[in-house]
Amino acid sequence: MAGKVFTGEEVAQHNTRESCWIIVHGKVYDVSEFLPDHPGGAKIILKYAGKDATAEYEPIHPPDAITKNLPPEKQLGSVDMNTVKKVEVVIRAEDKIRQERFAQLPSLSEVLNLHDFEALARLVMNEKAWAYYSSAADDEITIRENHAAYHRIWFRPRILRNVTNVDWSTKILGIPTKLPIYITATALGKLGHPDGELNLTRAAAKYGVVQMIPTLASCSFDELVDAAAPGQSQFLQLYVNKDREITRKFVQHAEKRGIKGLFITVDAPQLGRREKDMRQKFEAEAPDEMDKNDQKADRSQGAARAISTFIDPGLCWEDIPWFKSITKMPLILKGVQCWEDALRAYDEGLAGVVLSNHGGRQLEFARSGVEVLAEVVEKLKEKRGIEFPNEKFQIFVDGGVRRATDVLKAIALGATAVGIGRPFLYAFSTYGQDGVEKILQILNDEFEMNMRLLGAPTLKDVVRDMVDASCLHQHIVSVPDDRLFYLNYESMAHAQLRVAKDAKPRL
Amino acid sequence: MAGKVFTGEEVAQHNTRESCWIIVHGKVYDVSEFLPDHPGGAKIILKYAGKDATAEYEPIHPPDAITKNLPPEKQLGSVDMNTVKKVEVVIRAEDKIRQERFAQLPSLSEVLNLHDFEALARLVMNEKAWAYYSSAADDEITIRENHAAYHRIWFRPRILRNVTNVDWSTKILGIPTKLPIYITATALGKLGHPDGELNLTRAAAKYGVVQMIPTLASCSFDELVDAAAPGQSQFLQLYVNKDREITRKFVQHAEKRGIKGLFITVDAPQLGRREKDMRQKFEAEAPDEMDKNDQKADRSQGAARAISTFIDPGLCWEDIPWFKSITKMPLILKGVQCWEDALRAYDEGLAGVVLSNHGGRQLEFARSGVEVLAEVVEKLKEKRGIEFPNEKFQIFVDGGVRRATDVLKAIALGATAVGIGRPFLYAFSTYGQDGVEKILQILNDEFEMNMRLLGAPTLKDVVRDMVDASCLHQHIVSVPDDRLFYLNYESMAHAQLRVAKDAKPRL
Amino acid sequence: MAGKVFTGEEVAQHNTRESCWIIVHGKVYDVSEFLPDHPGGAKIILKYAGKDATAEYEPIHPPDAITKNLPPEKQLGSVDMNTVKKVEVVIRAEDKIRQERFAQLPSLSEVLNLHDFEALARLVMNEKAWAYYSSAADDEITIRENHAAYHRIWFRPRILRNVTNVDWSTKILGIPTKLPIYITATALGKLGHPDGELNLTRAAAKYGVVQMIPTLASCSFDELVDAAAPGQSQFLQLYVNKDREITRKFVQHAEKRGIKGLFITVDAPQLGRREKDMRQKFEAEAPDEMDKNDQKADRSQGAARAISTFIDPGLCWEDIPWFKSITKMPLILKGVQCWEDALRAYDEGLAGVVLSNHGGRQLEFARSGVEVLAEVVEKLKEKRGIEFPNEKFQIFVDGGVRRATDVLKAIALGATAVGIGRPFLYAFSTYGQDGVEKILQILNDEFEMNMRLLGAPTLKDVVRDMVDASCLHQHIVSVPDDRLFYLNYESMAHAQLRVAKDAKPRL
Amino acid sequence: MAGKVFTGEEVAQHNTRESCWIIVHGKVYDVSEFLPDHPGGAKIILKYAGKDATAEYEPIHPPDAITKNLPPEKQLGSVDMNTVKKVEVVIRAEDKIRQERFAQLPSLSEVLNLHDFEALARLVMNEKAWAYYSSAADDEITIRENHAAYHRIWFRPRILRNVTNVDWSTKILGIPTKLPIYITATALGKLGHPDGELNLTRAAAKYGVVQMIPTLASCSFDELVDAAAPGQSQFLQLYVNKDREITRKFVQHAEKRGIKGLFITVDAPQLGRREKDMRQKFEAEAPDEMDKNDQKADRSQGAARAISTFIDPGLCWEDIPWFKSITKMPLILKGVQCWEDALRAYDEGLAGVVLSNHGGRQLEFARSGVEVLAEVVEKLKEKRGIEFPNEKFQIFVDGGVRRATDVLKAIALGATAVGIGRPFLYAFSTYGQDGVEKILQILNDEFEMNMRLLGAPTLKDVVRDMVDASCLHQHIVSVPDDRLFYLNYESMAHAQLRVAKDAKPRL
């Protein structure tokens, strides 16, 4: 891929399955042999055979996806973009309506809580992005349980404590943070906003919280590190590559760039089937476009599969010493889901664990992080005599958090801090960086209020006795309802206004 | 009230609050002084001042209500009905629609279960009757809990038992019955059908079950006893009068007429506020008819209050020996609601108890009969060493029963038999006696089936181990839902037909 | 603010942010410097710059709010109201519709329960008032849980007790009351009715119950005390001021005026974020009125914040001796939420506690008063050997009460009496004083009925064994539903009328 | 029924109740005397008196039903089909619409899970077939509980295990299977597809799973065995005939044909009342077609009853030795529902049990198979010291399974494999054999994914500790809701787009 420069016309001739060239960011690639291996299916590539695929490629691939996956000899050279025919992007009528809604977004001052961002995002985001961000595993029970679990924990607030000054700052892996939360890693930020994860980096700097950079960011790792303000700390979330050498280089590069903690994802040996995401693909295409021969064939599995084939399902405990040998960064396992594995992480001398089920996107019916937290804290105390929160071995949870009260419950149970993911995505997909800042401002407001109402001047005062978590482990599904009985039951009614009463014949 | 015979014209002149005469069943009564005491309010009587009130009076009063409540000198004589102006009954449009629906009732062969009768009754009954039958105390939580409680009991059926012949007959207080149920006492049968409780008497004879005659029947006691077939057994439900002499006479008369068991109601020192019933009164009247001066005054409390003022709230344990002294009939307390009172009934030497909350019509949040049953059986075994079912001290339950499986659960827990009430009312309100018979036929079908499926050739084989009632005492109310979260959650959708998919823009 | 009298025209010239005068109740105030400190935001004041702000000011400020918050030199004098231009109040179309509905309110005799008032209030009240009264913290889960908790308590009624005469009167802090309830403190009564809290004072006199006067009443404290009938007792709810001297004067004044108990609010170091209230502000204003520059700025936080900045978040246990030193009134802590704090209140020698979460308006996920009650009674017995109800140390609860049965459950668990708040607000917002009286009449009816049905002639007979509260501490959130499965489930249907059946094609 | 050959005209003359001949598959039968015994009622046969009844007969009768039930002398001979008048099948408009929808079925690649087949089947199947397949006992609570029970079991996945290769094959009764499931027996396959159960046989061969042939298959037993691929294993589900000789012959024939396991159904001494199925009959007929005299008569009980009268309700434990004496096939009891019976099966030396409630079609409120599984495994360990999964005594469950995660939960609890029924019916009713294969492909995908996410390379690694089943036995029915309270509660709302806000007046 030395100096060769093609014309658009030359490239355009390679528009068949047999000889399929595409242009991405002004470079020309021969993907003919790669077609059957493309995780997203051959079809989507063939649509751009001989053409500029950048717009389609960019939001759903990490910047270096193509160079990593194609052998050097298939990276043919560059192209004079002036000679390339513009790919006309056809915007569907409904996407246009969504676009137009941006102008109708309410003032940020009317956005009162984290739920609001999601409600608005659903109205303005394009379907593909919404499906990728909002989808979860199987029947999407776990994603909802993550939130529901917090509602089984109730407070036991204390009164008559001087709460004139309250302080909800803390330290995560020794790094000061103004709130006991961090921005957890989520992939493909450009699906929601052209600046992608940069929105998070910039807002994090302003509000003094830590961003965890995802392996599958839409922005490149260095771009996100470069954007950090002086003194701003960042973590890195790591998907481990089947080719360990790639991983070694990435980790050591990260350490050199000043990353303060390495969160190794352990709950995703294979990325989950997310049917809302998969279905979106079919919804978006008219049935007559479908290949007759393709009737029974398996089609794309959505964005998640498309980007994740490099992840190593063979990653195991035996790899831990190797990680210790290649970096001095604190090592944290992200995705621990039972006390046995948390205990082993402790015994292996790691810096901590994130109790998480990957936002409900991986194993359906995995318990929520906050539920596992109660178990882990109890068992590690029993088995190793340690108390939480603990500086030497920190526990984090993520999933389902929408309120400062959720965070305070986790802290009362022993967590050091809590990761928040999707709400930030919805925030920048609607209002960009301003949205992310607004979340942090809302949380500041909520923390101030709730620390006072709890009777806790500092996070150290948020202790185990402040919560009643006795029902946390209850996974109830009611006996199915007796339809005939309840259809018969005539609901009671209130007293009514006179007109209303007159108007309605009761039949 | 000797021989005096009035003309309609004479009566018609007494049409004021000061001198208010009414005609009931051809007799003339001066109710002027009684007006303020009428439990249903003065207004409804004044509507018939000087007129024939029989049609209004009949369905909601026991036959002798008027003669019992008026002193003899106010019972003026009779009237020549030929001279009485017919009271034109104005049928409201909506009642007419209801009436016409009778012709649209499906064939009885299409009525598959007890729920069906209620669904149909709601469509054809007039509102007043529906309100009286279906209403219950306060927020009507208890009436629904009565049914729900059965759904917290699950079966542990046995297999590989010879169930070629199954037999679900038993004895209640020594009386043989073809099914382990009885028709429990419910008031005001003529609200639903002109033959009132006679529908029950006749069907009970045909299907070999026992009817419990209510004190507040629309038909007279003797009418119902006279209608019994040779050998047919009946029980009597008793509301105890403040004037014990009236009660003594009634009880001894009943014993003479062959009644086989006396069920003394103990859960109704005062009849419940039933708001659906009360509200129906207001719904039925146009607002402009209302007396301006009546704005703040308390108006009628519905049918229940209107018929029950004679009941003695002073009835107490000390009265039990007196009952024993006036009758040899087995005495059963109807409306026992905790083990302590069941134990005392046993110690007092009574024949049994009905564990009941009066169909949810009395104390809101009284537990269901079947829940109390589990407690009573356990405690009486613990305290007195007796086992259930027990011939010497029999336990019955009522409330919420709709299926043979409900009955079998109660029997497994120790009940001798189960009372069923409302379903019979709905059955005769739609199909008369045929409806009542159909219920009994449905139950026979269900018992045959379910005895086989339980692996129980006889009721003796329906034992405690056949049910798992470990959740029976659970009274759960979930944490209120998080509306913002659930409004945000986009429900999953199935694969769709192609047209459906095309038609729907996803916005 | 001596004798200076302005003309309307003079005042009208001070209509800028730089020089902003307003008129309230005929007095002139220079609020220019106060603008940035106004809890409700500067904007709302600027709307009245140079004008008469009385109508806007009155319902949402305690009468002396302005004089307390402005230094004397800014209280400029009075104005000749004849020279002041009338502020034209523009009534929005929808508010007009609400106003017109007052004429359609049903007769009070049709209002059967406390729920009815709320249903009607929602139809007739203006939005701002409705939002302020009905709103609660965060996701409004706690406000609903307060009611739901009562439904996890079931009765174990006793039978065959002489309940001819039943008596539900009792004493609160030694004060006789005809019902075991009191009217608890709620702010801003004039939002709902021009007479504000006076409606409560007058009805309380008539029905023999105690009113707790709120610090944040719309009527002045003295006005409410003056309105008391001879012998009528009142309590005072106290928000403690950062300036303790103000509090001392207020308390000592109250004692002099005959207040019988001082309820110090301890659950509100800062008043809660109530989003329904906050959102109402935005809903009410058209988007084009919004200041472009105000896009990101924080706007008003609703009525709650606007009135509460004086409250001292530094109030603590160390202040208790001081309270004892300034008054002989019984001291009660209002807003205790766990046994540890109740125990300390007992040990400090206070007269009692109100177990309350402030009607769900403060800390979301604080447990309901009635749930905490069970815990407190058990622990104080265990730790200090005392039984409840207890004359020396009385426990009250409030929140979620709608029925006499709710009250009776709390009494069975050990409460002396129960506070009721919002239902009274809805009652006077619809029917004024008559509405408040009607509530008390309904409760009298319900107490009479339910005492009889419980088998309890007096409140002393309402004992712990009469309730089953074994599920009270259950905070269940079900496993999220499996949408695909339940969408597939075809509900059973009843037998149908023939026409209905014909009409419907089943597709 | 020797050589006699009739003409269509001859047969057509026997078209009365008195002399009623029908043609089935070219044979002529005199069913006059059989009419009153027909489980499906006389009416449906009379409709075909003198005519060809094959089309009606075929899908809902096993092939030999008629020859088994008619004495030889009533099997009159054959008919020259060329002389028989074609029975015109009238297709109702709505059935036509359903038929036309087949063309609109989405591509199989869009079918993502087992639920999808059911959703589509409901749209395209004719009502009778849908009613028969989807219906269940009484109020259809058990059928839904079967699915719900799985949702009370949550995973405790393990991390950092090498799951590069995962293997979910196993052995059932010594037979290798590529998935830990089998296709369980379901009746009347031709209702859904002309090839009936053959769809299952063929797909099972392709995907390496075992099919259990039902006694009540629409295809004949031999047809299904003949269709097996070389080396394909099949089981047989057995309904035991009152005439044991018939059963003996059938069993020995099956053994000879190579059947690998005999599953004796023990939960169906009588087939259940399935009201949706029963009601479908009435729905399908216009009311005016109904016989006036038939008003009270009992009509058809749906397809289930029509096909099951031969089943012996006298089958009992004493029959077990006889079964052992007539066959060497492994004997498994299908329909065991408590540990006591599982223990006896073990003690009797049988090969295993299927814990099942017959898909919720028999005893309403029988517990789900997976719930009973936990009990059985615990008790058999306690009583006999054996562990599960166990090769000598295998436990299977069926009912409610829709996901590989459901299967993995059962395996973690000790099951050897899981039976799946209805989903396969819906699959072939929509897409024929392709649908069945698609299910197996989906399950393969789900198993691969979930084994990895569980951290289990093989099924042996799916152990008891991997599930939290502590709530499995919870049968909760909530306290009925307080309608007046919840109708009053005004739901919270999100921030809204500006237009939306303007458009909506809040009244």
Side-chain angles (χ1 to χ4, degrees), chain D residues 254-271:
Chain D
E255 186 165 4
K256 243 175 263 160
R257 294 290 331 250
I259 292 297
K260 294 291 191 290
L262 187 67
F263 288 71
I264 306 169
T265 294
V266 293
D267 59 7
Q270 173 178 342
L271 283 201

Side-chain angles (χ1 to χ4, degrees), chain D residues 54 393 396 502:
Chain D
T54 309
F393 185 73
F396 309 98
D502 293 350

Side-chain angles (χ1 to χ4, degrees), chain B residues 64-84:
Chain B
D64 53 1
I66 198 164
T67 51
K68 272 186 186 160
N69 281 291
L70 277 191
E73 67 272 17
K74 298 297 183 188
Q75 310 186 19
L76 304 178
S78 56
V79 63
D80 176 358
M81 286 306 287
N82 294 323
T83 66
V84 175

Side-chain angles (χ1 to χ4, degrees), chain A residues 106-113 115-116 138-142 144-145 147-164 206 275 279 365 403-406 409 434 437-438 442 445-446 448-450 452-454 465 468 470-472 474-478 480 483-485 487-488 492-499 501, chain C residues 101 103-107 110-111 115-116 119-120 123-124 138-139 141-142 145 266-273 275 278-279 282 290 294-299 301 305 312-317 320 333 335-341 362-367 371 375 473-484 486 489 491-494:
Chain A
S107 153
L108 256 179
S109 59
E110 296 193 41
V111 174
L112 302 181
N113 52 51
H115 300 294
D116 278 354
D138 281 16
D139 295 296
E140 301 191 343
I141 287 168
T142 306
R144 288 176 281 158
E145 160 68 7
H147 185 66
Y150 282 99
H151 291 208
R152 299 197 294 264
I153 305 172
W154 286 68
F155 285 118
R156 304 183 73 252
R158 304 303 302 266
I159 54 163
L160 291 178
R161 295 175 168 192
N162 187 332
V163 287
T164 306
K206 242 171 138 169
E275 297 185 0
R279 201 167 311 276
F365 290 101
R403 294 275 186 191
T405 49
D406 298 335
K409 288 171 182 179
D434 286 350
E437 292 183 19
K438 177 74 183 189
I442 288 171
D445 283 359
E446 289 190 356
E448 179 185 36
M449 162 79 67
N450 290 311
R452 283 196 171 133
L453 298 183
L454 268 180
D465 273 355
D468 172 358
S470 55
C471 292
L472 179 52
Q474 293 273 17
H475 295 279
I476 297 295
V477 184
S478 293
R483 299 284 168 99
L484 298 181
F485 183 83
L487 287 173
N488 271 339
M492 297 192 75
H494 291 110
Q496 292 176 69
L497 297 182
R498 296 184 186 207
V499 271
K501 217 164 52 186
Chain C
R101 284 181 182 155
Q104 298 161 353
L105 283 176
S107 154
E110 296 192 41
V111 174
H115 300 294
D116 278 353
L120 297 169
L123 295 172
V124 301
D138 280 16
D139 295 296
I141 287 168
T142 306
E145 159 68 8
V266 293
D267 57 8
Q270 173 178 344
L271 283 201
R273 292 177 89 249
E275 297 184 0
M278 291 159 76
R279 198 163 317 271
F282 300 110
M290 288 189 306
D294 199 26
Q295 284 291 96
K296 276 195 255 173
D298 208 15
R299 300 172 75 208
Q301 301 258 325
R305 287 286 176 88
D312 185 6
L315 181 70
C316 60
W317 286 108
I320 299 296
L333 301 184
V336 170
Q337 296 174 72
C338 62
W339 69 263
E340 293 90 336
D341 286 330
Q362 291 291 106
L363 181 64
E364 182 78 320
F365 290 101
R367 297 173 302 164
E371 180 179 348
E375 171 186 297
H473 300 287
Q474 294 272 18
H475 296 280
I476 297 295
V477 183
S478 293
V479 171
D481 56 329
D482 182 351
R483 297 285 167 98
L484 298 181
Y486 285 103
Y489 178 67
S491 190
M492 298 192 74
H494 291 112

Side-chain angles (χ1 to χ4, degrees), chain B residues 107 109 112-113 116 144 154-160 163-164 403 449 452 476 483-484 495 498 501, chain D residues 104-105 110 116 139 270-271 273 275 295 297 299 313-314 317 340-341 365 375 479 481 491 494:
Chain B
S107 154
S109 58
L112 301 182
N113 52 52
D116 278 353
R144 287 175 282 157
W154 286 69
F155 285 119
R156 306 182 72 253
R158 306 303 302 266
I159 54 161
L160 292 178
V163 287
T164 306
R403 294 276 185 190
M449 162 79 67
R452 283 195 170 134
I476 297 296
R483 298 284 168 99
L484 298 181
R498 298 185 184 207
K501 217 164 52 186
Chain D
Q104 299 160 353
L105 283 176
E110 296 193 41
D116 278 353
D139 295 296
Q270 173 178 342
L271 283 201
R273 292 177 89 247
E275 297 184 1
Q295 285 289 98
R299 301 174 73 206
W317 286 108
E340 294 90 336
D341 286 331
F365 290 101
E375 172 186 297
V479 171
D481 55 330
S491 191
H494 291 110

Side-chain angles (χ1 to χ4, degrees), chain B residues 55-99:
Chain B
E56 180 80 28
Y57 171 91
E58 198 180 17
I60 61 169
H61 297 82
D64 53 1
I66 198 164
T67 51
K68 272 186 186 160
N69 281 291
L70 277 191
E73 67 272 17
K74 298 297 183 188
Q75 310 186 19
L76 304 178
S78 56
V79 63
D80 176 358
M81 286 306 287
N82 294 323
T83 66
V84 175
K85 226 176 127 185
K86 281 268 175 309
V87 172
E88 257 192 69
V89 182
V90 181
I91 299 177
R92 293 182 308 150
E94 70 176 64
D95 281 334
K96 219 173 145 191
I97 292 173
R98 289 167 181 278
Q99 279 296 326

